[in-house]
Amino acid sequence: MEFIKGADLSMFPELELAGAVYYDHGKQKDLLRILGVYGINAVRLRLWNNPYDENGRPYGGGTNDFARTAAMAKRIRAAGMQFFLDIHYSDFWTDPAKQRKPKAWEKLSGTQLASAVYNYTAQVLLKLREQGVPPDMIQIGNELTNGFLWPDGRLADGQQNFHAMCQLLKAGLTAAREDNPARPIVLHLDNGGNHALYRGWFDHAKEEALDFDIIGLSYYPYWHGTLADLKANIDDISARYGKDILIMETSLGFTDKKTDAAGIFNEELAKATPYGASPQGQADFLRDLIQVIRHVPNGRGKGFFYWEPAWLPLPGVTWTTKAGKAYIHDTTPEGNSWSSQALFDFAGNALPALEAVKKA
């Protein structure tokens, strides 16, 4: 496997519709072309089941339904990049704080719910193959730290309910393996510097004989410990479980200035890392992160995906709409949550971190 220098570009179609423009050394160019010049060779896309309310109003955050995901996958392939599919299974965001069943499955449980997972996974992969864009890798669920498809697969203290969660995961894993036995499958948690979390979770996964190939981690240095913490974790778990490692999500701000109330990266988070908040600090972080991954013993470190590097602060581009907020019961303001952590400045100019990626 080629070392993956990847990007999650799930927001890009929405950004493009809002007028996003990107520049490299002052020249306007296609986003994928710019990223390719700097060594980005894979793109991760999330897929939501039905990201619309009962009146057809979109939830936002890229509104990553099948049609939008498939269309973007074709552009990725045309650019000569690998396509990585991240199936959330929910209708909207999933992470350790929320793993909501899609609306169509709300009344399903047990074997009926597992069958829905299997059939949905198989149908998605069939349709992508029919459109000429079968994914090169697939992720079953997103940030599964606290479980999958709550409440049925929700994990409580002490990893209670792990077996029930695994029955649901196995349905998706089986469908993915049947579609293409050789395609790598990823299981992904957050908090990449938390060694105890990964040992506990994947010890249980081993007992349940989950069939997957790669351990995926989210690692945000202002939330998930130091790079030394990450290194200690991935060096151990790659050997302990005999699995390759991929950093599925990472980022760091090039500035601590927020463009609106929804912005996540701020002065406090910048101070939580040794890199601060500057274009050079962002570049230094990515250089150091890549070296940690490349030095996982036995070549088990397979690469990384930078999360939403193209997110520019444009009107109407929001992590959620009012409909989306109502669906997940979230009171966080609508708006731009990520542009201060992109790999382009607020005007769309490529930042030094891309050069660091190219060289690393």
Side-chain angles (χ1 to χ4, degrees):
M1 180 188 297
E2 178 184 11
F3 188 85
I4 293 172
K5 295 180 178 181
D8 190 312
L9 299 179
S10 302
M11 285 293 297
F12 175 59
E14 196 160 282
L15 287 157
E16 193 172 42
L17 288 172
V21 178
Y22 301 90
Y23 302 89
D24 184 25
H25 297 291
K27 294 183 179 180
Q28 181 181 338
K29 297 179 182 178
D30 174 75
L31 172 66
L32 292 174
R33 182 181 174 192
I34 294 174
L35 294 176
V37 165
Y38 287 104
I40 299 298
N41 55 18
V43 176
R44 176 181 185 244
L45 299 177
R46 59 181 167 266
L47 174 62
W48 291 325
N49 195 319
N50 179 25
Y52 304 89
D53 71 7
E54 63 276 10
N55 297 310
R57 293 176 297 189
Y59 289 156
T63 310
N64 301 115
D65 60 11
F66 179 84
R68 180 165 285 185
T69 300
M72 186 63 193
K74 292 176 182 178
R75 296 175 66 179
I76 293 164
R77 282 284 174 73
M81 296 175 176
Q82 294 184 70
F83 161 42
F84 181 95
L85 179 64
D86 172 15
I87 308 183
H88 283 226
Y89 291 90
S90 179
D91 289 336
F92 204 30
W93 299 109
T94 60
D95 53 45
K98 50 190 174 293
Q99 295 280 340
R100 187 167 182 167
K101 281 193 265 187
K103 295 180 289 293
W105 302 354
E106 284 177 352
K107 296 181 180 180
L108 301 182
S109 61
T111 57
Q112 287 184 324
L113 183 58
S115 293
V117 172
Y118 176 89
N119 291 332
Y120 174 73
T121 308
Q123 289 165 9
V124 163
L125 292 173
L126 174 61
K127 289 192 294 183
L128 287 172
R129 192 165 62 251
E130 289 175 343
Q131 295 202 24
V133 284
D136 296 288
M137 286 185 286
I138 186 170
Q139 179 180 319
I140 303 298
N142 188 74
E143 291 192 331
L144 299 167
T145 307
N146 293 324
F148 178 61
L149 292 174
W150 294 352
D152 305 64
R154 185 166 190 166
L155 301 183
D157 292 340
Q159 299 294 341
Q160 297 174 31
N161 209 36
F162 205 94
H163 179 73
M165 177 194 70
C166 285
Q167 299 314 298
L168 300 174
L169 286 177
K170 284 180 178 180
L173 293 168
T174 298
R177 192 66 82 193
E178 289 176 353
D179 183 76
N180 181 349
R183 177 172 45 220
I185 300 174
V186 178
L187 292 180
H188 167 215
L189 312 185
D190 80 322
N191 204 352
N194 187 336
H195 189 207
L197 163 67
Y198 279 77
R199 274 214 169 191
W201 205 99
F202 283 99
D203 276 357
H204 281 81
K206 185 175 181 180
E207 292 170 1
E208 293 284 345
L210 292 184
D211 177 21
F212 69 102
D213 307 291
I214 297 173
I215 295 175
L217 308 89
S218 291
Y219 176 71
Y220 296 103
Y222 41 81
W223 287 332
H224 299 156
T226 65
L227 276 175
D229 295 330
L230 175 69
K231 175 176 172 54
N233 185 31
I234 60 179
D235 285 358
D236 176 74
I237 62 176
S238 60
R240 182 177 180 87
Y241 306 111
K243 301 293 184 182
D244 290 336
I245 300 296
L246 268 174
I247 304 301
M248 303 312 307
E249 297 182 21
T250 193
S251 71
L252 184 69
F254 66 88
T255 177
D256 57 16
K257 296 179 180 178
K258 301 196 295 182
T259 58
D260 63 32
I264 288 175
F265 195 75
N266 56 26
E267 185 177 358
E268 180 182 358
L269 293 183
K271 289 179 178 177
T273 83
Y275 299 99
S278 70
Q280 189 58 52
Q282 184 188 56
D284 291 344
F285 163 66
L286 272 180
R287 177 201 63 208
D288 293 349
L289 173 66
I290 293 170
Q291 289 307 303
V292 167
I293 301 168
R294 285 194 179 276
H295 285 91
V296 175
N298 300 311
R300 289 287 192 182
K302 297 304 182 183
F304 72 95
F305 290 87
Y306 196 94
W307 201 78
E308 296 292 1
W311 194 324
L312 303 184
L314 297 172
V317 179
T318 172
W319 77 273
T320 183
T321 62
K322 287 181 173 61
K325 285 177 64 176
Y327 177 66
I328 59 174
H329 308 295
D330 198 303
T331 59
T332 306
E334 297 168 56
N336 155 52
S337 63
W338 216 258
S339 62
S340 59
Q341 299 187 72
L343 298 182
F344 296 83
D345 68 17
F346 294 153
N349 298 294
L351 288 166
L354 282 169
E355 190 66 43
V357 169
K358 182 178 181 180
K359 293 178 178 178

